[in-house]
Amino acid sequence: MSHQPRTAVITGASAGIGEATARALAREGFHVVLGARRVDRIEALAAELGGQAFSLDVTSKDSVAALAACIPQASVLVNNAGLALGLDPLESGSDSDWETVIETNVLGLMRVTRALLPALQRAPHSHIVNLGSVAGWESYKGGSAYCASKHAVRSLSRTLRLELLGRPIRVTEVSPGLVKTEFSLVRFHGDAARAETPYAGLQPLTADDIAECVRWAVMLPPHVNIDEIIVKPVAQASATVVHRAG
Ligand code: NAP
């Protein structure tokens, strides 16, 4: 019997949910492989967790191929890299924001999954965890590209479950509501004051809360597939309906 630790690949591990998930899976004994564009951050995290860091841009075919070439076997893939850009109505939306969101959240996830499926199939059993969003279940004003991208992630998770049926590969989608990470700062192009507004007067989820959902689904026995987890702060009833104190 092999005593090699199982490998978990986490995209977008330089911040927020990806970083917290890397920590949670490392605590469970996984060898964590961290991908992101901000290499200084993932190198520091990899050193701390005894994992590996890879410069990864999921929008680049070459970058994804280079990552896959270095991973002979993987037990877990967490497709976490993602972002929203802006909150403009569709009629005044920006082409470059739309393209980045769709390239990253949809095509990036598809590319990484396709590239890593051979490595996932070399493990006795494996697990793909996709980070969706409540924006994959509901639409909201100003969310055109982001909501479309997360609806696509939900569809892709379901498609994979159908296509991989009969193989020991689980597919889980975790769909959070409001989580306080760098997400909002990225969405509002670095405007720190505006980035605080979604969280005003309520207690948002933390990245650790989402990492715990991923960890729980991954650590269940390999015959148990958690299809979908929707997780929101108690002060959030839907994508847009929240209770703010004061
Ligand atoms: P975050 O703190 O901004 O982290 C996003 C991560 O994605 C970063 O590590 C970033 O790394 C990485 N990333 C972005 N573009 C990338 C690219 N082209 N290639 C590789 N990595 C890339 O946001 P977060 O909240 O943790 O978001 C993680 C996931 O959760 C996303 O898919 C997001 O849509 C989803 N989500 C978040 C919330 C929320 O409220 N926060 C709610 C629902 C769903 P680099 O910049 O270093 O590349």
Side-chain angles (χ1 to χ4, degrees), residues 11-18 35-38 56-59 80-83 104-105 131-134 146 150 176-183 186 199:
T11 69
S14 61
I17 295 167
R37 294 165 303 177
R38 286 171 291 178
L56 173 69
D57 180 347
V58 300
T59 69
N80 165 78
L83 78 173
T104 307
N105 298 2
L131 261 295
S133 168
V134 293
Y146 184 66
K150 292 299 184 178
L178 285 165
V179 190
K180 193 158 185 190
T181 61
E182 294 175 14
F183 177 83
V186 172
Y199 313 117

PDB file of all heavy atoms in Angstrom, residues 11-18 35-38 56-59 80-83 104-105 131-134 146 150 176-183 186 199, ligand 1:
ATOM      1  N   THR A  11      -6.771  25.847  -7.945  1.00  0.00           N
ATOM      2  CA  THR A  11      -6.520  27.026  -8.774  1.00  0.00           C
ATOM      3  C   THR A  11      -6.979  28.273  -8.013  1.00  0.00           C
ATOM      4  O   THR A  11      -7.921  28.219  -7.212  1.00  0.00           O
ATOM      5  CB  THR A  11      -7.250  26.948 -10.130  1.00  0.00           C
ATOM      6  OG1 THR A  11      -8.669  27.070  -9.921  1.00  0.00           O
ATOM      7  CG2 THR A  11      -6.944  25.660 -10.871  1.00  0.00           C
ATOM      8  N   GLY A  12      -6.292  29.384  -8.256  1.00  0.00           N
ATOM      9  CA  GLY A  12      -6.636  30.615  -7.543  1.00  0.00           C
ATOM     10  C   GLY A  12      -6.348  30.490  -6.056  1.00  0.00           C
ATOM     11  O   GLY A  12      -7.148  30.909  -5.216  1.00  0.00           O
ATOM     12  N   ALA A  13      -5.159  29.931  -5.740  1.00  0.00           N
ATOM     13  CA  ALA A  13      -4.819  29.665  -4.335  1.00  0.00           C
ATOM     14  C   ALA A  13      -4.069  30.822  -3.684  1.00  0.00           C
ATOM     15  O   ALA A  13      -3.614  30.700  -2.553  1.00  0.00           O
ATOM     16  CB  ALA A  13      -3.981  28.390  -4.246  1.00  0.00           C
ATOM     17  N   SER A  14      -3.964  31.949  -4.380  1.00  0.00           N
ATOM     18  CA  SER A  14      -3.178  33.075  -3.833  1.00  0.00           C
ATOM     19  C   SER A  14      -3.994  33.968  -2.907  1.00  0.00           C
ATOM     20  O   SER A  14      -3.440  34.911  -2.334  1.00  0.00           O
ATOM     21  CB  SER A  14      -2.619  33.915  -4.991  1.00  0.00           C
ATOM     22  OG  SER A  14      -3.678  34.444  -5.764  1.00  0.00           O
ATOM     23  N   ALA A  15      -5.273  33.710  -2.751  1.00  0.00           N
ATOM     24  CA  ALA A  15      -6.118  34.599  -1.934  1.00  0.00           C
ATOM     25  C   ALA A  15      -7.411  33.868  -1.574  1.00  0.00           C
ATOM     26  O   ALA A  15      -7.716  32.806  -2.133  1.00  0.00           O
ATOM     27  CB  ALA A  15      -6.455  35.874  -2.722  1.00  0.00           C
ATOM     28  N   GLY A  16      -8.128  34.451  -0.637  1.00  0.00           N
ATOM     29  CA  GLY A  16      -9.519  34.088  -0.373  1.00  0.00           C
ATOM     30  C   GLY A  16      -9.807  32.607  -0.213  1.00  0.00           C
ATOM     31  O   GLY A  16      -9.128  31.886   0.535  1.00  0.00           O
ATOM     32  N   ILE A  17     -10.826  32.160  -0.921  1.00  0.00           N
ATOM     33  CA  ILE A  17     -11.334  30.792  -0.770  1.00  0.00           C
ATOM     34  C   ILE A  17     -10.286  29.759  -1.186  1.00  0.00           C
ATOM     35  O   ILE A  17     -10.143  28.713  -0.544  1.00  0.00           O
ATOM     36  CB  ILE A  17     -12.632  30.638  -1.599  1.00  0.00           C
ATOM     37  CG1 ILE A  17     -13.735  31.539  -1.022  1.00  0.00           C
ATOM     38  CG2 ILE A  17     -13.072  29.186  -1.654  1.00  0.00           C
ATOM     39  CD1 ILE A  17     -14.960  31.723  -1.934  1.00  0.00           C
ATOM     40  N   GLY A  18      -9.538  30.053  -2.241  1.00  0.00           N
ATOM     41  CA  GLY A  18      -8.515  29.106  -2.699  1.00  0.00           C
ATOM     42  C   GLY A  18      -7.431  28.919  -1.656  1.00  0.00           C
ATOM     43  O   GLY A  18      -7.016  27.783  -1.365  1.00  0.00           O
ATOM     44  N   GLY A  35      -2.009  26.945  -7.735  1.00  0.00           N
ATOM     45  CA  GLY A  35      -1.862  27.700  -8.978  1.00  0.00           C
ATOM     46  C   GLY A  35      -2.470  29.073  -8.856  1.00  0.00           C
ATOM     47  O   GLY A  35      -3.545  29.235  -8.264  1.00  0.00           O
ATOM     48  N   ALA A  36      -1.791  30.078  -9.392  1.00  0.00           N
ATOM     49  CA  ALA A  36      -2.311  31.454  -9.466  1.00  0.00           C
ATOM     50  C   ALA A  36      -1.304  32.290 -10.238  1.00  0.00           C
ATOM     51  O   ALA A  36      -0.187  31.840 -10.515  1.00  0.00           O
ATOM     52  CB  ALA A  36      -2.540  32.048  -8.077  1.00  0.00           C
ATOM     53  N   ARG A  37      -1.699  33.523 -10.553  1.00  0.00           N
ATOM     54  CA  ARG A  37      -0.774  34.413 -11.268  1.00  0.00           C
ATOM     55  C   ARG A  37       0.178  35.104 -10.305  1.00  0.00           C
ATOM     56  O   ARG A  37       1.306  35.388 -10.661  1.00  0.00           O
ATOM     57  CB  ARG A  37      -1.579  35.453 -12.064  1.00  0.00           C
ATOM     58  CG  ARG A  37      -2.407  34.842 -13.195  1.00  0.00           C
ATOM     59  CD  ARG A  37      -3.442  35.809 -13.709  1.00  0.00           C
ATOM     60  NE  ARG A  37      -4.320  36.251 -12.619  1.00  0.00           N
ATOM     61  CZ  ARG A  37      -5.286  37.139 -12.732  1.00  0.00           C
ATOM     62  NH1 ARG A  37      -5.511  37.704 -13.899  1.00  0.00           N
ATOM     63  NH2 ARG A  37      -6.034  37.467 -11.702  1.00  0.00           N
ATOM     64  N   ARG A  38      -0.257  35.392  -9.081  1.00  0.00           N
ATOM     65  CA  ARG A  38       0.632  36.063  -8.115  1.00  0.00           C
ATOM     66  C   ARG A  38       1.504  35.004  -7.438  1.00  0.00           C
ATOM     67  O   ARG A  38       1.171  34.470  -6.370  1.00  0.00           O
ATOM     68  CB  ARG A  38      -0.192  36.865  -7.114  1.00  0.00           C
ATOM     69  CG  ARG A  38      -0.765  38.139  -7.745  1.00  0.00           C
ATOM     70  CD  ARG A  38      -1.749  38.829  -6.857  1.00  0.00           C
ATOM     71  NE  ARG A  38      -2.975  38.077  -6.706  1.00  0.00           N
ATOM     72  CZ  ARG A  38      -4.004  38.443  -5.931  1.00  0.00           C
ATOM     73  NH1 ARG A  38      -3.929  39.562  -5.247  1.00  0.00           N
ATOM     74  NH2 ARG A  38      -5.082  37.689  -5.854  1.00  0.00           N
ATOM     75  N   LEU A  56       0.193  30.086 -12.729  1.00  0.00           N
ATOM     76  CA  LEU A  56      -0.937  29.600 -13.535  1.00  0.00           C
ATOM     77  C   LEU A  56      -1.853  30.753 -13.886  1.00  0.00           C
ATOM     78  O   LEU A  56      -2.316  31.490 -13.024  1.00  0.00           O
ATOM     79  CB  LEU A  56      -1.742  28.554 -12.739  1.00  0.00           C
ATOM     80  CG  LEU A  56      -3.054  28.092 -13.405  1.00  0.00           C
ATOM     81  CD1 LEU A  56      -2.765  27.251 -14.663  1.00  0.00           C
ATOM     82  CD2 LEU A  56      -3.913  27.289 -12.425  1.00  0.00           C
ATOM     83  N   ASP A  57      -2.103  30.880 -15.195  1.00  0.00           N
ATOM     84  CA  ASP A  57      -3.152  31.775 -15.679  1.00  0.00           C
ATOM     85  C   ASP A  57      -4.141  30.878 -16.412  1.00  0.00           C
ATOM     86  O   ASP A  57      -3.830  30.360 -17.495  1.00  0.00           O
ATOM     87  CB  ASP A  57      -2.564  32.838 -16.603  1.00  0.00           C
ATOM     88  CG  ASP A  57      -3.639  33.801 -17.119  1.00  0.00           C
ATOM     89  OD1 ASP A  57      -4.840  33.505 -16.959  1.00  0.00           O
ATOM     90  OD2 ASP A  57      -3.265  34.840 -17.686  1.00  0.00           O
ATOM     91  N   VAL A  58      -5.324  30.683 -15.840  1.00  0.00           N
ATOM     92  CA  VAL A  58      -6.269  29.729 -16.426  1.00  0.00           C
ATOM     93  C   VAL A  58      -6.801  30.201 -17.780  1.00  0.00           C
ATOM     94  O   VAL A  58      -7.419  29.416 -18.508  1.00  0.00           O
ATOM     95  CB  VAL A  58      -7.445  29.401 -15.466  1.00  0.00           C
ATOM     96  CG1 VAL A  58      -6.951  28.787 -14.172  1.00  0.00           C
ATOM     97  CG2 VAL A  58      -8.328  30.611 -15.206  1.00  0.00           C
ATOM     98  N   THR A  59      -6.562  31.472 -18.126  1.00  0.00           N
ATOM     99  CA  THR A  59      -6.999  31.951 -19.446  1.00  0.00           C
ATOM    100  C   THR A  59      -5.978  31.616 -20.541  1.00  0.00           C
ATOM    101  O   THR A  59      -6.237  31.888 -21.711  1.00  0.00           O
ATOM    102  CB  THR A  59      -7.246  33.481 -19.449  1.00  0.00           C
ATOM    103  OG1 THR A  59      -5.987  34.157 -19.305  1.00  0.00           O
ATOM    104  CG2 THR A  59      -8.186  33.902 -18.341  1.00  0.00           C
ATOM    105  N   ASN A  80     -11.231  26.836  -8.507  1.00  0.00           N
ATOM    106  CA  ASN A  80     -11.649  27.988  -7.698  1.00  0.00           C
ATOM    107  C   ASN A  80     -11.351  29.328  -8.364  1.00  0.00           C
ATOM    108  O   ASN A  80     -12.046  30.316  -8.115  1.00  0.00           O
ATOM    109  CB  ASN A  80     -10.929  27.899  -6.339  1.00  0.00           C
ATOM    110  CG  ASN A  80     -10.996  29.190  -5.561  1.00  0.00           C
ATOM    111  OD1 ASN A  80     -12.014  29.515  -4.950  1.00  0.00           O
ATOM    112  ND2 ASN A  80      -9.905  29.964  -5.586  1.00  0.00           N
ATOM    113  N   ALA A  81     -10.336  29.379  -9.227  1.00  0.00           N
ATOM    114  CA  ALA A  81      -9.934  30.654  -9.851  1.00  0.00           C
ATOM    115  C   ALA A  81     -11.156  31.297 -10.502  1.00  0.00           C
ATOM    116  O   ALA A  81     -11.854  30.656 -11.291  1.00  0.00           O
ATOM    117  CB  ALA A  81      -8.844  30.420 -10.887  1.00  0.00           C
ATOM    118  N   GLY A  82     -11.405  32.538 -10.160  1.00  0.00           N
ATOM    119  CA  GLY A  82     -12.567  33.196 -10.748  1.00  0.00           C
ATOM    120  C   GLY A  82     -12.691  34.620 -10.267  1.00  0.00           C
ATOM    121  O   GLY A  82     -12.029  35.036  -9.314  1.00  0.00           O
ATOM    122  N   LEU A  83     -13.550  35.361 -10.942  1.00  0.00           N
ATOM    123  CA  LEU A  83     -13.715  36.782 -10.597  1.00  0.00           C
ATOM    124  C   LEU A  83     -14.975  37.345 -11.239  1.00  0.00           C
ATOM    125  O   LEU A  83     -15.515  36.781 -12.195  1.00  0.00           O
ATOM    126  CB  LEU A  83     -12.491  37.593 -11.051  1.00  0.00           C
ATOM    127  CG  LEU A  83     -12.335  37.991 -12.523  1.00  0.00           C
ATOM    128  CD1 LEU A  83     -11.154  38.918 -12.695  1.00  0.00           C
ATOM    129  CD2 LEU A  83     -12.204  36.790 -13.452  1.00  0.00           C
ATOM    130  N   THR A 104     -12.068  33.408 -17.819  1.00  0.00           N
ATOM    131  CA  THR A 104     -11.549  32.861 -16.557  1.00  0.00           C
ATOM    132  C   THR A 104     -12.521  31.837 -15.969  1.00  0.00           C
ATOM    133  O   THR A 104     -12.145  30.687 -15.711  1.00  0.00           O
ATOM    134  CB  THR A 104     -11.338  34.010 -15.532  1.00  0.00           C
ATOM    135  OG1 THR A 104     -10.541  35.028 -16.134  1.00  0.00           O
ATOM    136  CG2 THR A 104     -10.668  33.501 -14.278  1.00  0.00           C
ATOM    137  N   ASN A 105     -13.760  32.276 -15.749  1.00  0.00           N
ATOM    138  CA  ASN A 105     -14.701  31.453 -14.970  1.00  0.00           C
ATOM    139  C   ASN A 105     -15.226  30.259 -15.752  1.00  0.00           C
ATOM    140  O   ASN A 105     -15.546  29.230 -15.161  1.00  0.00           O
ATOM    141  CB  ASN A 105     -15.898  32.306 -14.520  1.00  0.00           C
ATOM    142  CG  ASN A 105     -15.504  33.452 -13.616  1.00  0.00           C
ATOM    143  OD1 ASN A 105     -14.335  33.666 -13.330  1.00  0.00           O
ATOM    144  ND2 ASN A 105     -16.490  34.226 -13.176  1.00  0.00           N
ATOM    145  N   LEU A 131     -16.086  25.885  -7.939  1.00  0.00           N
ATOM    146  CA  LEU A 131     -16.662  27.008  -7.204  1.00  0.00           C
ATOM    147  C   LEU A 131     -17.670  27.710  -8.096  1.00  0.00           C
ATOM    148  O   LEU A 131     -17.305  28.358  -9.088  1.00  0.00           O
ATOM    149  CB  LEU A 131     -15.553  27.969  -6.759  1.00  0.00           C
ATOM    150  CG  LEU A 131     -15.106  27.813  -5.303  1.00  0.00           C
ATOM    151  CD1 LEU A 131     -16.219  28.169  -4.316  1.00  0.00           C
ATOM    152  CD2 LEU A 131     -14.623  26.386  -5.014  1.00  0.00           C
ATOM    153  N   GLY A 132     -18.932  27.498  -7.758  1.00  0.00           N
ATOM    154  CA  GLY A 132     -20.014  28.213  -8.427  1.00  0.00           C
ATOM    155  C   GLY A 132     -20.320  29.464  -7.629  1.00  0.00           C
ATOM    156  O   GLY A 132     -19.420  30.118  -7.089  1.00  0.00           O
ATOM    157  N   SER A 133     -21.586  29.777  -7.531  1.00  0.00           N
ATOM    158  CA  SER A 133     -22.019  30.974  -6.789  1.00  0.00           C
ATOM    159  C   SER A 133     -23.545  30.963  -6.737  1.00  0.00           C
ATOM    160  O   SER A 133     -24.193  30.331  -7.583  1.00  0.00           O
ATOM    161  CB  SER A 133     -21.551  32.237  -7.521  1.00  0.00           C
ATOM    162  OG  SER A 133     -22.188  33.393  -6.996  1.00  0.00           O
ATOM    163  N   VAL A 134     -24.106  31.725  -5.795  1.00  0.00           N
ATOM    164  CA  VAL A 134     -25.560  31.940  -5.869  1.00  0.00           C
ATOM    165  C   VAL A 134     -25.902  32.630  -7.190  1.00  0.00           C
ATOM    166  O   VAL A 134     -27.029  32.516  -7.683  1.00  0.00           O
ATOM    167  CB  VAL A 134     -26.113  32.746  -4.669  1.00  0.00           C
ATOM    168  CG1 VAL A 134     -26.000  31.955  -3.381  1.00  0.00           C
ATOM    169  CG2 VAL A 134     -25.433  34.098  -4.534  1.00  0.00           C
ATOM    170  N   TYR A 146     -21.060  37.897 -15.043  1.00  0.00           N
ATOM    171  CA  TYR A 146     -20.724  37.029 -13.904  1.00  0.00           C
ATOM    172  C   TYR A 146     -21.815  35.981 -13.689  1.00  0.00           C
ATOM    173  O   TYR A 146     -21.509  34.793 -13.521  1.00  0.00           O
ATOM    174  CB  TYR A 146     -20.521  37.865 -12.642  1.00  0.00           C
ATOM    175  CG  TYR A 146     -20.068  37.034 -11.458  1.00  0.00           C
ATOM    176  CD1 TYR A 146     -18.820  36.411 -11.467  1.00  0.00           C
ATOM    177  CD2 TYR A 146     -20.884  36.841 -10.346  1.00  0.00           C
ATOM    178  CE1 TYR A 146     -18.400  35.626 -10.392  1.00  0.00           C
ATOM    179  CE2 TYR A 146     -20.473  36.067  -9.269  1.00  0.00           C
ATOM    180  CZ  TYR A 146     -19.231  35.465  -9.294  1.00  0.00           C
ATOM    181  OH  TYR A 146     -18.818  34.681  -8.237  1.00  0.00           O
ATOM    182  N   LYS A 150     -21.439  31.908 -13.985  1.00  0.00           N
ATOM    183  CA  LYS A 150     -21.680  30.947 -12.898  1.00  0.00           C
ATOM    184  C   LYS A 150     -22.860  30.017 -13.223  1.00  0.00           C
ATOM    185  O   LYS A 150     -22.882  28.880 -12.758  1.00  0.00           O
ATOM    186  CB  LYS A 150     -21.868  31.688 -11.563  1.00  0.00           C
ATOM    187  CG  LYS A 150     -20.574  32.355 -11.078  1.00  0.00           C
ATOM    188  CD  LYS A 150     -19.439  31.339 -10.837  1.00  0.00           C
ATOM    189  CE  LYS A 150     -18.187  31.976 -10.272  1.00  0.00           C
ATOM    190  NZ  LYS A 150     -17.115  31.000  -9.989  1.00  0.00           N
ATOM    191  N   PRO A 176     -21.359  29.684  -3.088  1.00  0.00           N
ATOM    192  CA  PRO A 176     -21.495  30.599  -1.949  1.00  0.00           C
ATOM    193  C   PRO A 176     -22.299  31.846  -2.282  1.00  0.00           C
ATOM    194  O   PRO A 176     -22.354  32.296  -3.430  1.00  0.00           O
ATOM    195  CB  PRO A 176     -20.045  30.994  -1.621  1.00  0.00           C
ATOM    196  CG  PRO A 176     -19.159  30.149  -2.475  1.00  0.00           C
ATOM    197  CD  PRO A 176     -19.995  29.723  -3.656  1.00  0.00           C
ATOM    198  N   GLY A 177     -22.851  32.426  -1.206  1.00  0.00           N
ATOM    199  CA  GLY A 177     -23.364  33.799  -1.261  1.00  0.00           C
ATOM    200  C   GLY A 177     -22.226  34.742  -0.913  1.00  0.00           C
ATOM    201  O   GLY A 177     -21.096  34.557  -1.385  1.00  0.00           O
ATOM    202  N   LEU A 178     -22.510  35.739  -0.078  1.00  0.00           N
ATOM    203  CA  LEU A 178     -21.499  36.776   0.227  1.00  0.00           C
ATOM    204  C   LEU A 178     -20.365  36.229   1.105  1.00  0.00           C
ATOM    205  O   LEU A 178     -20.603  35.817   2.242  1.00  0.00           O
ATOM    206  CB  LEU A 178     -22.171  37.931   0.967  1.00  0.00           C
ATOM    207  CG  LEU A 178     -23.049  38.869   0.128  1.00  0.00           C
ATOM    208  CD1 LEU A 178     -23.938  39.715   1.040  1.00  0.00           C
ATOM    209  CD2 LEU A 178     -22.180  39.767  -0.743  1.00  0.00           C
ATOM    210  N   VAL A 179     -19.166  36.246   0.570  1.00  0.00           N
ATOM    211  CA  VAL A 179     -17.974  35.819   1.309  1.00  0.00           C
ATOM    212  C   VAL A 179     -17.000  36.992   1.293  1.00  0.00           C
ATOM    213  O   VAL A 179     -16.720  37.546   0.216  1.00  0.00           O
ATOM    214  CB  VAL A 179     -17.284  34.609   0.632  1.00  0.00           C
ATOM    215  CG1 VAL A 179     -16.203  34.050   1.542  1.00  0.00           C
ATOM    216  CG2 VAL A 179     -18.280  33.546   0.215  1.00  0.00           C
ATOM    217  N   LYS A 180     -16.465  37.346   2.447  1.00  0.00           N
ATOM    218  CA  LYS A 180     -15.539  38.489   2.466  1.00  0.00           C
ATOM    219  C   LYS A 180     -14.128  38.018   2.115  1.00  0.00           C
ATOM    220  O   LYS A 180     -13.462  37.344   2.899  1.00  0.00           O
ATOM    221  CB  LYS A 180     -15.564  39.196   3.820  1.00  0.00           C
ATOM    222  CG  LYS A 180     -14.867  40.531   3.732  1.00  0.00           C
ATOM    223  CD  LYS A 180     -15.279  41.489   4.812  1.00  0.00           C
ATOM    224  CE  LYS A 180     -14.612  42.826   4.562  1.00  0.00           C
ATOM    225  NZ  LYS A 180     -14.757  43.749   5.650  1.00  0.00           N
ATOM    226  N   THR A 181     -13.717  38.362   0.907  1.00  0.00           N
ATOM    227  CA  THR A 181     -12.384  38.031   0.384  1.00  0.00           C
ATOM    228  C   THR A 181     -11.933  39.251  -0.424  1.00  0.00           C
ATOM    229  O   THR A 181     -12.485  40.339  -0.267  1.00  0.00           O
ATOM    230  CB  THR A 181     -12.464  36.800  -0.555  1.00  0.00           C
ATOM    231  OG1 THR A 181     -13.327  37.148  -1.645  1.00  0.00           O
ATOM    232  CG2 THR A 181     -13.007  35.570   0.153  1.00  0.00           C
ATOM    233  N   GLU A 182     -11.010  39.038  -1.344  1.00  0.00           N
ATOM    234  CA  GLU A 182     -10.618  40.133  -2.247  1.00  0.00           C
ATOM    235  C   GLU A 182     -11.574  40.260  -3.433  1.00  0.00           C
ATOM    236  O   GLU A 182     -11.384  41.105  -4.312  1.00  0.00           O
ATOM    237  CB  GLU A 182      -9.188  39.898  -2.758  1.00  0.00           C
ATOM    238  CG  GLU A 182      -8.154  39.984  -1.650  1.00  0.00           C
ATOM    239  CD  GLU A 182      -6.745  39.645  -2.118  1.00  0.00           C
ATOM    240  OE1 GLU A 182      -6.509  39.591  -3.347  1.00  0.00           O
ATOM    241  OE2 GLU A 182      -5.886  39.427  -1.261  1.00  0.00           O
ATOM    242  N   PHE A 183     -12.587  39.389  -3.466  1.00  0.00           N
ATOM    243  CA  PHE A 183     -13.513  39.317  -4.604  1.00  0.00           C
ATOM    244  C   PHE A 183     -14.107  40.686  -4.966  1.00  0.00           C
ATOM    245  O   PHE A 183     -14.114  41.097  -6.126  1.00  0.00           O
ATOM    246  CB  PHE A 183     -14.629  38.326  -4.237  1.00  0.00           C
ATOM    247  CG  PHE A 183     -15.703  38.170  -5.266  1.00  0.00           C
ATOM    248  CD1 PHE A 183     -15.534  37.310  -6.345  1.00  0.00           C
ATOM    249  CD2 PHE A 183     -16.907  38.867  -5.155  1.00  0.00           C
ATOM    250  CE1 PHE A 183     -16.538  37.154  -7.294  1.00  0.00           C
ATOM    251  CE2 PHE A 183     -17.911  38.712  -6.105  1.00  0.00           C
ATOM    252  CZ  PHE A 183     -17.720  37.854  -7.169  1.00  0.00           C
ATOM    253  N   VAL A 186     -11.625  43.227  -6.327  1.00  0.00           N
ATOM    254  CA  VAL A 186     -11.337  42.942  -7.742  1.00  0.00           C
ATOM    255  C   VAL A 186     -12.517  43.413  -8.598  1.00  0.00           C
ATOM    256  O   VAL A 186     -12.328  44.074  -9.621  1.00  0.00           O
ATOM    257  CB  VAL A 186     -11.060  41.434  -7.945  1.00  0.00           C
ATOM    258  CG1 VAL A 186     -10.961  41.090  -9.432  1.00  0.00           C
ATOM    259  CG2 VAL A 186      -9.784  41.015  -7.212  1.00  0.00           C
ATOM    260  N   TYR A 199     -20.928  44.155   2.106  1.00  0.00           N
ATOM    261  CA  TYR A 199     -20.843  43.533   3.428  1.00  0.00           C
ATOM    262  C   TYR A 199     -21.359  44.440   4.547  1.00  0.00           C
ATOM    263  O   TYR A 199     -21.371  44.040   5.710  1.00  0.00           O
ATOM    264  CB  TYR A 199     -19.383  43.151   3.732  1.00  0.00           C
ATOM    265  CG  TYR A 199     -18.683  42.435   2.588  1.00  0.00           C
ATOM    266  CD1 TYR A 199     -17.577  43.005   1.951  1.00  0.00           C
ATOM    267  CD2 TYR A 199     -19.135  41.193   2.139  1.00  0.00           C
ATOM    268  CE1 TYR A 199     -16.940  42.357   0.896  1.00  0.00           C
ATOM    269  CE2 TYR A 199     -18.504  40.550   1.084  1.00  0.00           C
ATOM    270  CZ  TYR A 199     -17.415  41.136   0.468  1.00  0.00           C
ATOM    271  OH  TYR A 199     -16.792  40.491  -0.568  1.00  0.00           O
TER     272      TYR A 199
HETATM  273  P1  NAP B   1     -10.439  36.380  -4.453  1.00  0.00           P
HETATM  274  O1  NAP B   1     -10.045  36.563  -3.021  1.00  0.00           O
HETATM  275  O2  NAP B   1     -10.408  37.554  -5.360  1.00  0.00           O
HETATM  276  O3  NAP B   1      -9.557  35.193  -5.078  1.00  0.00           O
HETATM  277  C1  NAP B   1      -9.654  34.861  -6.441  1.00  0.00           C
HETATM  278  C2  NAP B   1      -8.508  33.936  -6.832  1.00  0.00           C
HETATM  279  O4  NAP B   1      -8.643  33.624  -8.232  1.00  0.00           O
HETATM  280  C3  NAP B   1      -7.145  34.564  -6.622  1.00  0.00           C
HETATM  281  O5  NAP B   1      -6.292  33.620  -6.030  1.00  0.00           O
HETATM  282  C4  NAP B   1      -6.690  34.883  -8.044  1.00  0.00           C
HETATM  283  O6  NAP B   1      -5.270  34.709  -8.138  1.00  0.00           O
HETATM  284  C5  NAP B   1      -7.380  33.776  -8.830  1.00  0.00           C
HETATM  285  N1  NAP B   1      -7.486  34.076 -10.246  1.00  0.00           N
HETATM  286  C6  NAP B   1      -8.199  35.067 -10.846  1.00  0.00           C
HETATM  287  N2  NAP B   1      -7.980  35.043 -12.166  1.00  0.00           N
HETATM  288  C7  NAP B   1      -7.113  34.010 -12.414  1.00  0.00           C
HETATM  289  C8  NAP B   1      -6.508  33.495 -13.583  1.00  0.00           C
HETATM  290  N3  NAP B   1      -6.719  34.035 -14.783  1.00  0.00           N
HETATM  291  N4  NAP B   1      -5.678  32.426 -13.463  1.00  0.00           N
HETATM  292  C9  NAP B   1      -5.442  31.885 -12.252  1.00  0.00           C
HETATM  293  N5  NAP B   1      -5.985  32.329 -11.101  1.00  0.00           N
HETATM  294  C10 NAP B   1      -6.807  33.389 -11.193  1.00  0.00           C
HETATM  295  O7  NAP B   1     -11.939  35.815  -4.556  1.00  0.00           O
HETATM  296  P2  NAP B   1     -12.671  34.574  -3.841  1.00  0.00           P
HETATM  297  O8  NAP B   1     -13.885  35.109  -3.179  1.00  0.00           O
HETATM  298  O9  NAP B   1     -11.741  33.761  -3.032  1.00  0.00           O
HETATM  299  O10 NAP B   1     -13.163  33.784  -5.138  1.00  0.00           O
HETATM  300  C11 NAP B   1     -12.870  32.415  -5.375  1.00  0.00           C
HETATM  301  C12 NAP B   1     -14.007  31.799  -6.164  1.00  0.00           C
HETATM  302  O11 NAP B   1     -15.207  31.853  -5.404  1.00  0.00           O
HETATM  303  C13 NAP B   1     -14.320  32.507  -7.488  1.00  0.00           C
HETATM  304  O12 NAP B   1     -14.589  31.533  -8.487  1.00  0.00           O
HETATM  305  C14 NAP B   1     -15.559  33.317  -7.171  1.00  0.00           C
HETATM  306  O13 NAP B   1     -16.355  33.556  -8.323  1.00  0.00           O
HETATM  307  C15 NAP B   1     -16.248  32.390  -6.191  1.00  0.00           C
HETATM  308  N6  NAP B   1     -17.243  33.056  -5.326  1.00  0.00           N
HETATM  309  C16 NAP B   1     -16.890  34.076  -4.493  1.00  0.00           C
HETATM  310  C17 NAP B   1     -17.873  34.688  -3.715  1.00  0.00           C
HETATM  311  C18 NAP B   1     -17.578  35.821  -2.767  1.00  0.00           C
HETATM  312  O14 NAP B   1     -18.526  36.480  -2.283  1.00  0.00           O
HETATM  313  N7  NAP B   1     -16.332  36.096  -2.424  1.00  0.00           N
HETATM  314  C19 NAP B   1     -19.206  34.255  -3.807  1.00  0.00           C
HETATM  315  C20 NAP B   1     -19.521  33.226  -4.671  1.00  0.00           C
HETATM  316  C21 NAP B   1     -18.541  32.624  -5.422  1.00  0.00           C
HETATM  317  P3  NAP B   1      -4.265  35.653  -8.957  1.00  0.00           P
HETATM  318  O15 NAP B   1      -4.886  37.016  -9.055  1.00  0.00           O
HETATM  319  O16 NAP B   1      -3.016  35.615  -8.129  1.00  0.00           O
HETATM  320  O17 NAP B   1      -4.107  34.956 -10.277  1.00  0.00           O
END
